[in-house]
Amino acid sequence: MSEAYFRVEPGALGREENFLSLDDILMSHEKLPARAATLLPRLGAFFPDRGAGAEADDALPQVSWAPAGAARAFPPASLDVGSKFELPLWLAKGLFDNKRRILSVELPKIYQEGWRTVFSADANVVDLHKMGPYFYGFGSQLLYFDSPENADISQSLLQTFIGRFRRIMDSSQNAYNEDTSALVARLDEMERGLFQMGQKGLNDFQCWEKGQASQITASTLVQNYKKRKFTDMED
């Protein structure tokens, strides 16, 4: 019986995603804080929770723009220069352009210097899944925006992974036939994939040790042939 969905692995860590991967599709919908670098007319209605820079626009008197005889309507507020808002990653990447300067992207808190200090002290104490289920993938996507902190972000991602890798693999190799939900609760999605690979290796080894890894069984063709032969002998 064929499976309904064959898992497609996420793209390599870096600037590009694999849009055939469900993991990458979900990751690209994570929100990214941004700031308007130019006036964006008629977009205020899409960002009701926008920050400073938009209040002045709302305070201006609204002028009706409906044609004569039509119901009065008012144009939506604009996004002033400096207005703060959030965009999904895929849209922020599409709008970001160093030459046109439509928007500037700000680092999420977990990738800023304060959290990088926490990771360098002891990365194992952080609940990465709570902070962001795609911590490594999303962090590598931030390199697209040419931040002056890119080198520090890259180094922090690498050292965080190195610091957590051994514990992940140790726990995956020492949890046989038991509930592992508590062990993976604090892991990001990539780390959970590594944990599952470790678990598969452990299960395969246990099967091999018990002599269950390569049992020789008769094929269905041979079994059916024996059944037909036995029936012919009875006749």
Side-chain angles (χ1 to χ4, degrees):
M1 180 179 178
S2 61
E3 298 182 17
Y5 169 71
F6 292 95
R7 176 180 173 83
V8 177
E9 293 300 324
L13 295 181
R15 298 187 176 192
E16 301 301 328
E17 309 100 306
N18 181 354
F19 284 107
L20 295 178
S21 166
L22 291 181
D23 287 328
D24 276 4
I25 292 174
L26 293 173
M27 183 266 293
S28 70
H29 281 73
E30 292 286 314
K31 294 296 182 64
L32 189 63
R35 188 186 293 267
T38 186
L39 179 66
L40 302 175
R42 300 178 180 272
L43 292 181
F46 295 100
F47 304 97
D49 299 327
R50 62 193 184 279
E55 291 80 5
D57 185 86
D58 292 337
L60 295 175
Q62 302 285 349
V63 180
S64 174
W65 55 273
R72 292 176 62 85
F74 298 93
S78 300
L79 287 178
D80 286 344
V81 176
S83 297
K84 295 181 180 180
F85 50 93
E86 290 187 335
L87 291 174
L89 173 64
W90 64 268
L91 183 55
K93 289 180 67 175
L95 293 176
F96 181 79
D97 189 329
N98 278 326
K99 295 181 179 178
R100 297 179 62 189
R101 298 291 298 170
I102 298 175
L103 56 83
S104 60
V105 171
E106 300 182 355
L107 291 179
K109 290 183 179 180
I110 194 172
Y111 301 102
Q112 294 177 6
E113 184 178 1
W115 275 102
R116 295 201 300 266
T117 302
V118 174
F119 289 127
S120 63
D122 187 358
N124 289 292
V125 303
V126 182
D127 185 344
L128 282 190
H129 201 268
K130 180 179 179 181
M131 302 303 294
Y134 300 98
F135 172 75
Y136 298 103
F138 192 80
S140 66
Q141 292 294 310
L142 296 178
L143 305 178
Y144 179 88
F145 300 103
D146 298 327
S147 167
E149 299 183 54
N150 274 0
D152 294 330
I153 295 173
S154 300
Q155 186 66 16
S156 177
L157 291 173
L158 177 60
Q159 294 302 321
T160 299
F161 178 76
I162 293 173
R164 292 167 64 95
F165 177 77
R166 181 172 181 177
R167 177 173 292 188
I168 293 170
M169 298 311 295
D170 283 348
S171 59
S172 71
Q173 295 296 298
N174 291 282
Y176 183 63
N177 284 340
E178 61 182 78
D179 184 14
T180 60
S181 56
L183 296 175
V184 301
R186 299 166 64 87
L187 307 182
D188 103 311
E189 292 299 323
M190 189 180 78
E191 292 176 335
R192 290 184 176 188
L194 291 174
F195 184 90
Q196 292 172 0
M197 291 174 63
Q199 284 274 280
K200 183 180 184 302
L202 175 63
N203 292 330
D204 290 346
F205 175 75
Q206 294 293 336
C207 289
W208 173 82
E209 198 172 41
K210 296 174 182 178
Q212 301 173 350
S214 57
Q215 290 182 333
I216 300 176
T217 58
S219 69
T220 54
L221 293 175
V222 174
Q223 292 175 355
N224 292 335
Y225 175 76
K226 288 183 177 179
K227 289 179 181 178
R228 290 197 302 270
K229 186 176 181 180
F230 183 73
T231 303
D232 295 340
M233 290 176 63
E234 287 184 338
D235 294 340

